[in-house]
Amino acid sequence: MSALELLVPARAVFQPVVDLDTGNVIAVEPHTGPPEEPAPLTGPDPLAGPDPSADDLRRAVDAARAAAELGTRLPLTIGLRAETLALGDTALGELHQGLLDTGRRPSEVIICVNGGFPPAHRQAVSSALQALRRAGYPVGLGGLGAAHAPLDLLLDVAPYLIRLDPGLARRTASDPRRSALVTALVDLAHRIGTHVLAPGLADEAQILHVRELGVRLVQGPALAPPEWRPGQRVRVPVTAREERHPAPHGIDLGPRVSEFTMPAAAMPITATAGDVLDALNAETGTTSVVLVDDHQRPRATVDRTRFLLKLSGAYGHALHAHKPALRLADAPRLVPRTVPAIAALRAAGREDDRVYDDLVVTDELGRCMGIVRVGDLIRSLSP
């Protein structure tokens, strides 16, 4: 048995979230197996069954803990049932503390509410998602296109991503009507600055088709086997960027920068150069590390190329590894999430020596929402 197998329980499975534009893994979704048999009940009601919401929260924290045991700094995607979120502050507080205990800051965990929910739960689910956003978590809505999740909820909670129903995503390649539905959801997402994730893709034809529809983020067995672990390669059949459709009416300012925002590799401002080096070595697709303060506000960025050059020089590792990474960092290039992408690209071009450095996207409170790679903006906005 390998050291990796000793580290991670067999019941832990990791699914990569792949960006088809770059071929990089930009997040990982850890799963734990089915719940263990509950311990014998000793309370006053011996007939009571297990609490599904408590089990849901336990699995979410166990999934984050399994990722921590691997040492990956990739952002995580964690799924929760709508009924669990609808419990309100108690459940949210337990979730937040459990994730913090695994070493994850809110900006590094995308909380996705799975499946549908009855209309009576809408207000509670909406309030919970808004509370998670205020705490700094990117949020997502799952099962779009099949589960009961009203579309105007997207406007209320401003999710980071919408996750298509897996069956719907797979069948778009063979069913023109379902393809039309996904096209409409992708167009809606582009207009409100939200990502679309197509999960469960089983073969290359399905990946190619959803890419033609404008989907950028994908998951599924066609990309990685069940034994995949962070740091390993994925199979990406296409990385070409789709043509954008101009707005039909009025002045088109183009897409917002939020549409191109990818999860950031964030570390505390106290991180050492050795910590940053470990994070960059673990994930070759990571182009920068954002150093954040206790309020998740970006204070500096470490560019991969310049950082590795400094450490690879004579005595570079000995000089820097145990000292703060901040010494080798630059001031972050900040852009608000609502800025048009063309404006962000123009701002990037004003700094000749850092023109291709990643931009750091911030929310309305100045917290780090993620990064934008300048190359993505160039590819998107080029005629």
Side-chain angles (χ1 to χ4, degrees), residues 45-58:
D45 184 3
L47 298 179
D51 180 351
S53 294
D55 186 61
D56 197 30
L57 291 169
R58 179 188 61 78

Side-chain angles (χ1 to χ4, degrees), residues 123-149:
Q123 185 55 51
V125 172
S126 176
S127 296
L129 290 172
Q130 290 172 3
L132 287 169
R133 281 199 67 237
R134 288 193 298 271
Y137 290 95
V139 299
L141 290 176
L144 262 289
H148 174 78

Side-chain angles (χ1 to χ4, degrees), residues 15-18 29 31 163 197-202 217-221 223:
Q15 294 185 2
V17 177
V18 178
E29 182 171 8
H31 295 271
R163 181 178 179 138
L197 170 62
L201 302 182
L217 304 181
V218 291
Q219 280 180 293
L223 296 139

Side-chain angles (χ1 to χ4, degrees), residues 47-87:
L47 298 179
D51 180 351
S53 294
D55 186 61
D56 197 30
L57 291 169
R58 179 188 61 78
R59 286 205 224 181
V61 175
D62 281 353
R65 187 174 295 117
E69 289 170 351
L70 279 183
T72 180
R73 295 307 306 179
L74 279 170
L76 304 181
T77 298
I78 300 290
L80 282 176
R81 298 163 61 248
E83 291 84 355
T84 301
L85 290 180
L87 294 177

Side-chain angles (χ1 to χ4, degrees), residues 6 35 62 64 95 99 125 141 214 242 250 265 277 323 332 378:
L6 287 170
D62 281 353
L95 173 68
L99 294 175
V125 172
L141 290 176
E242 88 282 2
L277 180 62
K323 295 180 180 178
I378 294 173

